Amino acid sequence: MTKKEGGGVRKLVKLTIDGQEVIASDRATILDVARREKIRIPTLCYDPKLQPFGACRVCMVGVEGARGPVAACTTKVREGMVVHTQDPVATRVAKGVVELVLSDYPKEALAREGERNELREVAAHFGLTESRFEGERHAYTRDDRHPYIKVDMNECIVCGRCVRACDEIQGAFALSYAGRGFDTRIVAGIDAAFSESSCVSCGACVSTCPTGALDEAAFVAKETIDAKVTTTCAYCGVGCSLEVNVRDDQVVSIDPAEEGPANRGHTCVKGRFAHSYARAKDRLTSPLLRRSDGTLREASWDEALSFVAKKMNEIKAKHGPDALAAISSSRCTNEENYLLQKMFRAAVGTNNIDNCSRVCHSPTSLGLIRSLGESGGSNSFEDIDVTACILLAGANPTEGHPVVGARLKEAVLRGAKLVVI
């Protein structure tokens, strides 16, 4: 059987995994099929957003006819393949690997509850609470110089996920490996602090780190979070989906939504970390009215809105409705912008209503209308992933729309041509 998909014609194969007969694309890996079928195969170096790496050897499975256990994350399925995820030899190999990893992992970090830690889950899968191996242990100094990311290399297992996420998702290439053997470690820039490297603070490394070596500087343990609220970031027009962690009605941290159609589990520094303004000491929390002497005083919303309505009616009565105008913000919702224009057109009686997006979007809107007949985009972000050529005119997406900018860099790294005007 064959099936035509975006990347060309794919062949469908039939295989058996843990006694269950399944059909899959010949481009799928054993791990892809196992996860689709809800069959647990532990992993450490694997992240579905990254290219398979096959470094940790924790996802070992048995395949009938193979010379030995194989890595599920890099082994493609084939017709008639018979897979055993509980193969004794494969399990022994994977368990030994985890024990070796734990031999240099701080026991107190493994015992801590509530923090995001895939290594703890993998160790529990194999029934491990400690390692039978003893030897050298690293003694790095924790680095808290980055304003958003804490770095504790004592908890790093050198799985490489942070390096690959920085390269493949953000395209910043800020992280790399240094040293050999036991001394191998992850470094930023030319072995500098994260805060002094080309790191753009997108948090991709934090999202993928399986041990907590990289985490938010002010991360709050899961059990202290009261609720998780899904929302849409309003900083730019990409529309990233965010998971907002709330405690005592306050935002304590933000994670990019893995299923977000625009961002696919990624975000920029603003979307992930710039939520502290909500608790800023100088943030206005009530309206201010100016006294006759020019100073400001706090007022209630009823008093402030009544004052605005009174002044607007006075101006309208004296000079007519066109003496009034309103400008709305692109950071408001569509519904809020609609209400403001409706109020000015229907209640005030003027068409003097504008939006700040005119500054940047008017030229593109006019060009799109003349070229395609529509003022909005004619395709989705997903098209960036399959296109062979990108024409970028009058835009700076890596600064203005960082998540899409990173996606464009990903496409270019895969071989797409980029033309900038």
Side-chain angles (χ1 to χ4, degrees), residues 49-82:
K49 297 192 293 293
L50 306 174
Q51 291 296 316
F53 198 48
C56 71
R57 281 348 207 202
V58 171
C59 66
M60 303 300 280
V61 296
V63 174
E64 291 187 9
R67 297 176 63 181
V70 300
C73 69
T74 56
T75 304
K76 298 286 181 65
V77 298
R78 64 176 186 273
E79 182 67 35
M81 177 183 274
V82 179

Side-chain angles (χ1 to χ4, degrees), residues 152-190:
D152 189 347
M153 286 295 114
N154 295 301
E155 298 180 17
C156 176
I157 60 174
V158 200
C159 65
R161 280 168 59 170
C162 57
V163 177
R164 290 151 54 215
C166 189
D167 295 352
E168 298 177 24
I169 296 176
Q170 181 58 37
F173 297 92
L175 306 179
S176 59
Y177 302 92
R180 290 178 179 273
F182 179 75
D183 294 324
T184 303
R185 66 194 189 282
I186 305 299
V187 297
I190 308 176

Side-chain angles (χ1 to χ4, degrees), residues 375-393:
S375 62
S378 59
N379 53 295
S380 66
F381 291 149
E382 281 74 16
D383 286 353
I384 297 173
D385 304 332
V386 296
T387 187
C389 183
I390 301 165
L391 177 65
L392 191 63

